[in-house]
Amino acid sequence: MPFEIRRAKKEDISEIVQLEIAGMGPIWERERIDHDAGSLREFIDKHFGEDRCWVAEEDGTILGFLHSTTYQDAISSTKICEIYTVVVHPEHFGEGIGAGLIEQERIAAAKDGTNMLKLEVLSGNQRAMKFYSKQGFRERKKILVSQFNDKNTMDKSQTDFPLIDWLMQNKDIKYNLASSSMPAPSLEELTVLDGSQLLQVDTGVTEELEREVRKSYDDDVEVLLTSGTQSANMLAYSVLLNDSDTVLVESPGYAPLGTAPKIIGRSVELLGRPYENAFIPELKEATSHADMAVITNPHNPSGVYMDTGSLEPLYKKIKKNNGILLVDEIYRDHMEKSTSAVELGDGVLVSSGLSKVYGLGGLRIGWLASKDRRSMERLRNAKPHMDPFNSVLSERTALALFENRSRILNKIRELTTDNLSTVKKWINNTDGIEWVEPARGIISFPKLNIGCTSLEFAKKARKKDVLVAPGEYFGMPGHVRLTFRLEPTELEDALTILSSIIDEL
């Protein structure tokens, strides 16, 4: 191993304190004792002589440390070594440092006649529970506490969905540049829809629809229909993740992708997709402890598309930990030429549906697709208990869509290509706004360089009958999701209004 483990020295205390603070990332802030650097230094310094403290060092830099004490249980007379803390710098997770420190402590404890290693972990810290179980620790007893203002409990603010509230409260606005769904096709456009069979129960319709969906992928891809794309994602979270698993969810992003796994008790961390990196994921955040990574492709809210070559580094990083890459491809049909992430191989699961590109969200038709037969078998076996049947009416209407799909897509792409060109020209000629140009489709996430917040800008636009979605609802203030599903003349009118607001600022 590249690092060396040694006993800590007094002169290490300052660096140890800084490492402890660095280790308090988003997860730890909710689950560790809240103390400042001064009190931590005082605690370590006070007990330094009587306790054991190991550090893992590489090239003179401390990457991790372990602090323990030994005592004799008053009732059983058992000699116990209690580990106070194990901390590894977040940039060095997955390098074996924590395991090495524990093994060093186990060896030292055995030499002085200790019978047991003990440590305490809050039950909500599933990542730590999983790590320590791999080091041979087993749950022996539960400690009951009464805790006020528990940040691990999901309060109403964590389950709120401000984007959908914003869209629903303003659904009658004249110029809607916030909705990411195309207008639905008319029944006349679904020319093979046979009204006499709409309500006839026939399980063969499901199989036929799955065959139609499968044509979007290679022959060896399995497809499982669900009641919408969000149900598909929720099914994947519920079936393929264990209680102790950690999910990486893209940010900025669509809120339900992160909220859904939290609702069922999974640990969620953010996978950054910064504007400065053209909204491409930062792989340094895809640490080796992740059991699933979740992204959209094309990206919601930016519209940025990643081909399989661009996705492969993230896929390999997750696969190395035997994890799953879940890719929500709900916008992919906007792309004239694209390859599904499912082609990367085992360990990739994609979800999609008919709500965004085709405007048929009311049908609640979605699906999961994968080459991973074991995962698909687990999902297929679990689905009848969670999401037994889709609507017969919905499935027959979806079949009619697939029969007319090429013609409908051509019409959609003609509109969206022209509208993208219009918005691009507007962005290039307007001061105070810039963007990462989306590949195709109708969604974008421009950055505002103006004298107000993106939420304030959205409210000003709303007063003038134009609706945009503020970046606050996607986890990135200072941007707005700007969509262009309107007819060309309406789009130009709406952009003219936005220009007037920017000029006023």
Side-chain angles (χ1 to χ4, degrees):
M1 54 187 175
F3 56 87
E4 177 187 33
I5 295 178
R6 61 170 174 80
R7 290 292 289 266
K9 306 171 185 176
K10 275 276 189 179
E11 51 265 35
D12 295 326
I13 290 180
S14 293
E15 196 170 351
I16 288 172
V17 169
Q18 293 307 312
L19 180 59
E20 172 83 0
I21 300 301
M24 295 179 185
I27 296 298
W28 297 106
E29 288 174 354
R30 297 193 302 268
E31 299 174 338
R32 295 182 63 101
I33 299 172
D34 183 20
H35 52 245
D36 59 24
S39 60
L40 177 61
R41 177 189 297 275
E42 182 181 346
F43 178 80
I44 293 177
D45 189 56
K46 178 180 178 181
H47 297 278
F48 193 85
E50 60 197 69
D51 296 341
R52 267 196 301 264
C53 190
W54 303 98
V55 295
E57 184 180 57
E58 182 180 21
D59 297 330
T61 300
I62 295 176
L63 307 180
F65 78 94
L66 180 150
H67 181 197
S68 72
T69 191
T70 301
Y71 64 92
Q72 189 166 359
D73 184 80
I75 298 176
S76 65
S77 298
T78 300
K79 192 173 184 181
I80 297 173
C81 172
E82 180 167 359
I83 298 175
Y84 284 139
T85 187
V86 181
V87 174
V88 176
H89 195 286
E91 292 183 2
H92 295 275
F93 285 170
E95 297 179 10
I97 295 172
L101 288 166
I102 290 174
E103 182 58 27
Q104 184 66 56
E105 178 61 20
R106 183 177 279 114
I107 293 171
K111 286 182 179 179
D112 69 10
T114 300
N115 303 98
M116 179 190 299
L117 289 184
K118 171 188 173 183
L119 52 81
E120 293 183 4
V121 181
L122 291 180
S123 60
N125 190 351
Q126 296 297 332
R127 187 179 72 190
M129 297 277 281
K130 182 178 180 180
F131 168 74
Y132 288 123
S133 67
K134 288 182 179 179
Q135 310 312 315
F137 289 84
R138 297 293 179 265
E139 185 177 305
R140 177 66 62 88
K141 64 179 181 177
K142 293 184 182 292
I143 298 175
L144 302 182
V145 298
S146 175
Q147 184 169 341
F148 299 94
N149 301 320
D150 183 3
K151 294 181 181 178
N152 272 326
T153 302
M154 291 191 68
D155 57 27
K156 184 179 183 298
S157 66
Q158 291 175 288
T159 54
D160 279 348
F161 193 180
L163 173 62
I164 200 69
D165 292 340
W166 179 259
L167 294 174
M168 295 303 294
Q169 291 165 6
N170 300 289
K171 61 183 178 180
D172 295 325
I173 206 160
K174 184 174 181 179
Y175 301 110
N176 191 335
L177 302 184
S179 174
S180 61
S181 298
M182 290 296 296
S186 65
L187 286 178
E188 288 74 17
E189 292 180 272
L190 304 178
T191 55
V192 297
L193 191 60
D194 184 351
S196 66
Q197 295 181 337
L198 281 180
L199 299 179
Q200 181 179 336
V201 177
D202 183 358
T203 56
V205 175
T206 301
E207 297 170 1
E208 186 179 355
L209 183 54
E210 286 188 349
R211 285 194 295 270
E212 286 296 325
V213 172
R214 197 175 295 117
K215 292 177 183 178
S216 303
Y217 310 99
D218 280 353
D219 292 341
D220 57 345
V221 173
E222 292 191 25
V223 169
L224 177 63
L225 289 181
T226 60
S227 299
T229 309
Q230 284 184 225
S231 292
N233 294 334
M234 193 64 168
L235 182 65
Y237 296 145
S238 302
V239 175
L240 301 181
L241 291 173
N242 297 317
D243 289 347
S244 60
D245 285 348
T246 299
V247 185
L248 285 172
V249 179
E250 66 183 6
S251 178
Y254 184 58
L257 293 178
T259 304
K262 287 181 181 178
I263 288 173
I264 58 173
R266 307 305 183 253
S267 177
V268 173
E269 299 182 19
L270 298 182
L271 174 65
R273 298 189 67 161
Y275 174 77
E276 295 75 16
N277 201 37
F279 294 115
I280 303 301
E282 290 184 322
L283 294 190
K284 65 180 182 180
E285 294 189 36
T287 50
S288 59
H289 67 268
D291 302 282
M292 178 183 283
V294 185
I295 65 170
T296 51
N297 195 39
H299 177 221
N300 182 14
S302 74
V304 168
Y305 173 73
M306 297 174 64
D307 60 22
T308 50
S310 301
L311 284 171
E312 192 167 18
L314 175 61
Y315 166 62
K316 287 183 176 179
K317 191 122 184 181
I318 299 302
K319 187 174 175 61
K320 187 177 180 181
N321 194 43
N322 297 316
I324 296 168
L325 176 60
L326 173 59
V327 184
D328 185 324
E329 295 183 337
I330 191 70
Y331 296 98
R332 187 169 76 91
D333 278 357
H334 276 306
M335 309 294 297
E336 194 164 355
K337 294 181 179 179
S338 66
T339 302
S340 172
V342 76
E343 306 303 337
L344 287 168
D346 286 350
V348 176
L349 190 68
V350 303
S351 59
S352 193
L354 302 180
S355 61
K356 299 300 182 181
V357 177
Y358 302 99
L360 293 173
L363 294 184
R364 308 312 304 147
I365 293 291
W367 59 82
L368 291 164
S370 181
K371 292 185 176 183
D372 191 332
R373 298 191 181 281
R374 174 179 288 185
S375 293
M376 290 300 288
E377 182 180 6
R378 292 177 61 193
L379 292 163
R380 198 175 295 278
N381 290 339
K383 183 180 179 293
H385 302 281
M386 304 172 67
D387 184 18
F389 303 105
N390 290 334
S391 158
V392 176
L393 175 60
S394 293
E395 289 191 349
R396 290 190 182 279
T397 307
L399 271 175
L401 170 75
F402 275 96
E403 290 291 330
N404 295 273
R405 186 181 183 193
S406 296
R407 177 173 51 80
I408 292 173
L409 265 181
N410 288 338
K411 180 181 177 181
I412 290 170
R413 287 171 178 166
E414 182 179 352
L415 173 68
T416 58
T417 300
D418 290 345
N419 281 358
L420 175 58
S421 178
T422 297
V423 177
K424 179 179 179 180
K425 182 179 179 180
W426 176 74
I427 292 276
N428 292 339
N429 294 324
T430 304
D431 292 333
I433 189 166
E434 59 184 87
W435 72 349
V436 176
E437 184 179 340
R440 291 196 63 137
I442 62 166
I443 59 173
S444 64
F445 201 48
K447 181 181 179 183
L448 301 175
N449 300 308
I450 55 179
C452 68
T453 68
S454 48
L455 182 57
E456 290 170 341
F457 177 79
K459 290 179 178 178
K460 290 178 183 292
R462 181 177 60 178
K463 289 180 179 179
K464 296 193 175 184
D465 232 8
V466 178
L467 192 69
V468 295
E472 285 83 349
Y473 298 163
F474 299 91
M476 186 173 281
H479 293 248
V480 292
R481 189 177 74 177
L482 181 74
T483 65
F484 27 97
R485 62 194 284 272
L486 300 180
E487 291 299 317
T489 54
E490 293 180 317
L491 176 61
E492 290 176 357
D493 290 344
L495 295 177
T496 299
I497 294 171
L498 293 183
S499 293
S500 69
I501 298 172
I502 292 174
D503 291 341
E504 291 172 2
L505 297 169

